[in-house]
Amino acid sequence: MEKNNELLNGLSAEETIEALKKQYGQIYQVDMTLETTDEEEEIVTYFFTKPKAPSFHRYMKNVSKDVTSAATAFVNDNIVPEQREMLKEKIKTHPAITMALSNKLGALLGFTDKIILKKV
């Protein structure tokens, strides 16, 4: 399994996290395992700020029209700007990555399927 160690400008993981926290406050790290071939995988790391309500509202407004475009816009709204180009390059080979990332970002706002409803 190949680990993508290219975080930000050659900084270590710890240095990257500290630099991003200084600039953006609370950040969230997402590590994803992507299949590159039947036998090989790659781990990529992205950092996000917590989605703000307007970004989520835009996502919800547009998701019924074009789910892929809505997810891509939502992810691009919330990824740290330093990684936006890196993500765009990865989307070219793994276009569904935005769907997985948008689900995780939505969970930060309470968008979850882990809800129990029962008649009492």
Side-chain angles (χ1 to χ4, degrees):
M1 185 177 322
E2 179 183 330
K3 169 81 169 129
N4 179 356
N5 289 321
E6 178 189 345
L7 297 176
L8 298 178
N9 301 321
L11 298 176
S12 71
E14 296 80 21
E15 292 169 330
T16 296
I17 291 168
E18 287 308 311
L20 292 173
K21 281 183 177 180
K22 281 182 184 177
Q23 188 163 1
Y24 302 108
Q26 181 64 55
I27 58 165
Y28 298 88
Q29 177 177 332
V30 177
D31 296 318
M32 297 183 75
T33 302
L34 303 173
E35 291 187 24
T36 54
T37 66
D38 286 340
E39 297 177 9
E40 293 183 24
E41 296 177 333
E42 173 187 15
I43 298 173
V44 294
T45 300
Y46 297 108
F47 295 96
F48 293 88
T49 57
K50 184 174 182 178
K52 306 239 183 322
S55 175
F56 185 69
H57 291 303
R58 277 191 303 278
Y59 171 71
M60 293 306 294
K61 178 182 174 185
N62 294 318
V63 75
S64 64
K65 299 172 194 164
D66 183 349
V67 68
T68 306
S69 294
T72 301
F74 185 53
V75 168
N76 279 319
D77 277 353
N78 297 292
I79 193 164
V80 295
E82 294 87 345
Q83 287 191 308
R84 200 166 282 137
E85 285 303 315
M86 188 172 94
L87 177 62
K88 283 182 184 178
E89 287 301 311
K90 191 57 67 182
I91 290 170
K92 290 178 184 175
T93 56
H94 295 83
I97 195 172
T98 57
M99 300 301 296
L101 289 169
S102 67
N103 287 340
K104 286 296 180 188
L105 292 174
L108 292 174
L109 299 174
F111 195 64
T112 181
D113 59 355
K114 296 176 183 175
I115 298 173
I116 299 171
L117 172 69
K118 57 185 171 181
K119 186 177 178 181
V120 291

